[in-house]
């Protein structure tokens, strides 16, 4: 299998408003691919279309050589894609550990369990009985990532995981993801921070007004190319 997930001419609408105008995208197993773009560029719309939250032509999204466009989200998750949503969305009445266990609801066979999550984020073990929303923003983001990993996904999608977090915390979280990546994670990371996106990924896409304005190997792209694609200047 050369690609794990790909989209071909992917379009998306909110009623009459067209938000995506034919996105061609691909990610191969064990790759980290970043998506950058300004507010409203279509990044979240793209992720929501891949996850089946928004309608899509079946053939315009393929996962493991199967068309999945427009499939129900729970089937996509069971098929092996997990998303860390923007804003973390933890269950407020559940403890850290219960939140993590929720990720195992559609568990697939694989290496991830509570023990491994606690090894990755030791602070979560200390806080395991505390309500998920009574911990810091960075720790909540660790829970959201741990919860997604608990389902043993073949593809992890992270939507703006650094939003609102202090630089030191962002560094810590990305260091943990880099460690997971060394053991063969495949992930799409959507990032506002271009520097982090470029450093964390092997390949990068920039979206602008619902289109891909730039794509290439992250280490080959120049600052000028990225600013042109990002801001259109
Ligand atoms: P951000 O970084 O702000 O989350 P984004 O790149 O994720 O931006 P999207 O949220 O995908 O961008 O938005 C793409 C376009 O679709 C924008 O013009 C936005 O206003 C519009 N849009 C997003 N959500 C909706 C919605 N629920 N109803 C109508 N239009 C929407």
């Amino acid at each position: 299998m050369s690609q794990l997930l790909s989209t071909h001419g992917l379009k998306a609408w909110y009623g009459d408003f067209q938000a995506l105008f034919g996105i061609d995208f691909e990610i191969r197993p064990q790759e980290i691919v970043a998506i950058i773009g300004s507010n409203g560029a279509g990044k979240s719309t793209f992720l929501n279309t891949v996850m089946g939250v928004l309608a899509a032509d079946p053939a315009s999204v393929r996962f493991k050589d199967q068309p999945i466009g427009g499939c129900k989200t729970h089937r996509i998750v069971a098929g092996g894609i997990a998303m860390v949503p923007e804003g973390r969305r933890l269950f407020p009445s559940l403890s850290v550990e219960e939140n993590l266990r929720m990720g195992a609801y559609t568990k697939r066979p694989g290496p991830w369990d509570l023990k491994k999550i606690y090894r990755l984020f030791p602070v979560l073990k200390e806080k395991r009985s505390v309500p998920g929303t009574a911990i810091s923003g960075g720790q909540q983001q660790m829970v959201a990532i741990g919860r997604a990993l608990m389902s043993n996904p073949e593809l992890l999608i992270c939507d703006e995981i650094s939003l609102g977090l202090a630089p030191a915390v962002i560094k810590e979280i990305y260091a943990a993801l880099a460690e997971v990546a060394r053991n063969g994670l495949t992930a799409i990371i959507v990032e506002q921070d271009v520097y982090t996106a470029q450093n964390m990924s092997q390949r990068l896409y920039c979206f602008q007004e619902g289109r891909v304005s730039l794509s290439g190997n992250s280490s080959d792209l120049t600052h000028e190319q990225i600013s042109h694609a990002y801001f259109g200047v």
Side-chain angles (χ1 to χ4, degrees):
M1 183 193 350
S2 57
Q3 288 142 21
L4 184 62
L5 177 98
S6 59
T7 70
H8 309 275
L10 179 66
K11 300 185 176 85
W13 282 266
Y14 295 100
D16 291 338
F17 176 78
Q18 187 167 4
L20 297 182
F21 294 84
I23 302 279
D24 292 330
F25 173 96
E26 59 181 55
I27 180 165
R28 291 183 280 275
Q30 308 201 346
E31 244 189 339
I32 307 276
V33 172
I35 302 177
I36 59 169
S38 55
N39 286 340
K43 305 178 299 294
S44 296
T45 303
F46 174 76
L47 300 186
N48 284 328
T49 310
V50 167
M51 292 306 292
V53 177
L54 291 169
D57 178 44
S60 62
V61 188
R62 294 184 75 82
F63 180 61
K64 294 196 284 182
D65 288 335
Q66 298 297 317
I68 61 158
C71 277
K72 295 249 183 287
T73 303
H74 69 89
R75 293 193 56 187
I76 292 175
V77 174
I81 306 182
M83 178 143 138
V84 182
E86 191 179 338
R88 302 153 206 150
R89 301 204 204 126
L90 301 189
F91 299 98
S93 58
L94 301 185
S95 69
V96 163
E97 187 154 309
E98 286 163 341
N99 266 285
L100 289 171
R101 286 188 191 281
M102 289 303 285
Y105 186 71
T106 43
K107 197 168 174 62
R108 303 156 39 78
W112 288 100
D113 56 16
L114 274 178
K115 218 168 129 188
K116 264 197 98 174
I117 302 290
Y118 289 149
R119 214 176 300 143
L120 185 67
F121 297 120
V123 66
L124 298 187
K125 189 173 184 186
E126 287 163 35
K127 306 255 173 172
R128 62 185 182 275
S129 310
V130 174
T133 47
I135 53 179
S136 73
Q139 290 163 357
Q140 288 185 29
Q141 194 58 275
M142 292 171 194
V143 175
I145 293 168
R147 183 178 61 184
L149 289 173
M150 283 288 280
S151 69
N152 280 306
E154 284 181 62
L155 173 63
L156 180 73
I157 298 182
C158 299
D159 193 4
E160 307 210 5
I161 53 175
S162 54
L163 213 64
L165 301 181
V169 179
I170 297 171
K171 217 169 148 191
E172 189 183 345
I173 287 178
Y174 271 113
L177 274 184
E179 188 187 322
V180 181
R182 281 192 286 277
N183 293 310
L185 176 76
T186 310
I188 299 174
I189 54 167
V190 168
E191 254 303 329
Q192 287 271 356
D193 180 49
V194 176
Y195 179 80
T196 303
Q198 204 175 0
N199 273 311
M200 269 303 295
S201 63
Q202 282 100 51
R203 285 191 309 111
L204 181 144
Y205 288 78
C206 184
F207 286 9
Q208 196 189 8
E209 295 181 358
R211 294 181 170 84
V212 174
S213 55
L214 179 72
S215 66
N217 290 332
S218 305
S219 53
D220 296 342
L221 297 173
T222 64
H223 184 69
E224 285 71 26
Q225 282 175 311
I226 292 178
S227 355
H228 184 269
Y230 199 105
F231 300 109
V233 287

